[in-house]
């Protein structure tokens, strides 16, 4: 792959997280299993707290909307009739969360509970966000060269900030000029990249987007955004056509900024 020159008009670098700054294995083998293994204990510990009750309320509402789906798990209301009933309700929430996760659903209700659980896990040191070792030194060099750096991930902005705020490299939030999630639009739709450009006050061709997902790269390219596809251990393989079509890097150190010379 070697050196990839960054076009002279690029003023901002937009980064995906999973498979780009962070190993896919961290998300699949650490973050999501943490939820599955700890959701019952988390609910028991925090049940009386307003935030937890709001999370459960959202999950209950989602369960009602999902009632016609195969395997859907309803969450009953509490009548206040004691510990035994409470355990049944908590177990229903656990089963609902496990069911949604088994289908890789990304409902607001599920993402909100996961975000709150991860926040507690990061804050207590049970989880640290994994970052590829080339990421931080490269971003520091980009910023020294006057480049702005942003994150765009399907994970919520809160989840992004937790990962980078409690990372294996320490708190590195200062390295980023802003964060975007799917509230700005899906990553596979070109309009999302136009909105991001408008939000940060530049043209789409002033942005270089780094991602491991060709569909996202294609959407960004349709919006006239520069793109490079990142090859990392554990990432999905690319077709021969994708390998020949896209600019590829296996490390952030392979990006060459003309302005830094």
């Amino acid at each position: 792959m070697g050196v990839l020159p960054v076009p002279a008009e690029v003023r901002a670098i937009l980064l995906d997280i999973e498979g780009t700054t962070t190993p896919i294995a961290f998300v699949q083998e650490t973050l999501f299993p943490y939820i599955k293994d700890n959701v019952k204990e988390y609910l028991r510990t925090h049940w009386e707290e307003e935030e937890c009750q709001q999370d459960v309320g959202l999950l209950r509402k989602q369960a009602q909307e999902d009632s016609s789906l195969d395997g859907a798990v309803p969450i009953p209301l509490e009548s206040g009739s004691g510990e035994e009933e409470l355990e049944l309700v908590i177990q229903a929430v656990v089963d609902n969360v496990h069911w949604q996760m088994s289908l890789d659903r990304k409902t607001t209700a599920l993402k909100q509970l996961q975000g709150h659980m991860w926040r507690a896990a990061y804050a207590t040191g049970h989880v640290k966000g994994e970052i590829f070792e080339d990421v931080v030194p490269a971003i520091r060099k980009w910023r020294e060269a006057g480049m702005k750096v942003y994150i765009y991930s399907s994970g919520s902005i809160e989840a992004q900030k937790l990962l980078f705020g409690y990372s294996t490299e320490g708190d590195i939030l200062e390295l980023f000029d802003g964060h975007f999630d799917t509230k700005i639009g899906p990553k596979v739709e070109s309009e999302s990249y136009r909105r991001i450009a408008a939000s940060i006050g530049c043209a789409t061709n002033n942005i270089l987007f780094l991602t491991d997902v060709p569909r996202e790269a294609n959407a960004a390219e349709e919006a006239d955004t520069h793109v490079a596809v990142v090859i990392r251990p554990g990432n999905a393989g690319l077709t021969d056509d994708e390998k020949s079509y896209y600019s590829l890097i296996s490390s952030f150190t392979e990006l060459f900024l003309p302005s830094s010379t």
Side-chain angles (χ1 to χ4, degrees):
M1 276 163 263
V3 171
L4 178 66
V6 174
E9 68 263 31
V10 169
R11 299 284 177 268
I13 297 179
L14 184 64
L15 301 174
D16 168 50
I17 294 179
E18 188 179 347
T20 299
T21 66
T22 297
I24 282 178
F26 170 69
V27 178
Q28 295 179 344
E29 297 171 16
T30 299
L31 282 187
F32 288 126
Y34 180 85
I35 300 295
K36 287 179 181 173
D37 295 345
N38 292 280
V39 62
K40 182 181 278 190
E41 186 58 35
Y42 177 86
L43 290 168
R44 282 175 172 162
T45 303
H46 298 277
W47 190 259
E48 299 300 328
E49 297 169 17
E50 183 180 350
E51 182 178 84
C52 186
Q53 283 301 304
Q54 288 174 349
D55 292 347
V56 171
L58 267 185
L59 286 163
R60 187 176 281 123
K61 186 180 176 194
Q62 185 65 51
Q64 291 167 348
E65 293 173 13
D66 294 340
S67 59
S68 61
L69 297 181
D70 188 37
V73 180
I75 300 173
L77 286 164
E78 291 172 82
S79 64
S81 59
E83 286 294 316
E84 196 172 320
E85 183 202 50
L86 176 59
E87 278 299 309
L88 288 172
V89 175
I90 287 175
Q91 187 60 52
V93 177
V94 172
D95 293 343
N96 179 279
V97 167
H98 285 182
W99 172 73
Q100 289 202 61
M101 292 182 70
S102 73
L103 299 176
D104 195 27
R105 301 188 78 206
K106 306 200 188 299
T107 62
T108 299
L110 179 62
K111 284 169 74 172
Q112 181 167 303
L113 175 68
Q114 288 172 330
H116 292 150
M117 285 188 64
W118 286 326
R119 183 181 63 199
Y122 281 115
T124 55
H126 286 104
V127 172
K128 279 183 183 282
E130 285 186 39
I131 312 291
F132 287 115
E133 63 182 17
D134 58 277
V135 170
V136 171
I139 294 176
R140 290 196 195 284
K141 286 184 77 171
W142 300 343
R143 291 180 64 87
E144 285 168 13
M147 199 68 68
K148 300 281 191 182
V149 183
Y150 298 87
I151 296 292
Y152 182 29
S153 173
S154 56
S156 70
I157 288 173
E158 182 182 21
Q160 297 173 29
K161 289 182 174 180
L162 288 168
L163 191 154
F164 293 116
Y166 296 92
S167 84
T168 49
E169 304 290 328
D171 182 350
I172 56 170
L173 283 171
E174 65 183 24
L175 297 180
F176 306 109
D177 294 282
H179 298 257
F180 299 95
D181 59 18
T182 50
K183 285 180 181 171
I184 199 122
K187 296 174 76 181
V188 294
E189 291 183 6
S190 57
E191 186 58 34
S192 304
Y193 300 89
R194 296 187 186 98
R195 290 191 195 113
I196 287 172
S199 174
I200 64 181
C202 67
T204 51
N205 73 343
N206 296 141
I207 298 173
L208 170 64
F209 178 47
L210 304 185
T211 178
D212 64 311
V213 181
R215 282 184 68 210
E216 296 174 4
N218 186 53
E221 206 172 50
E222 284 179 4
D224 200 26
T225 298
H226 295 284
V227 170
V229 172
V230 185
I231 312 294
R232 297 284 200 185
N235 287 6
L238 303 177
T239 66
D240 288 341
D241 284 348
E242 288 165 347
K243 287 176 186 173
S244 61
Y245 179 77
Y246 290 109
S247 298
L248 308 177
I249 61 170
S250 60
S251 166
F252 285 7
T253 59
E254 292 169 14
L255 289 183
F256 175 72
L257 273 56
S259 59
S260 62
T261 57

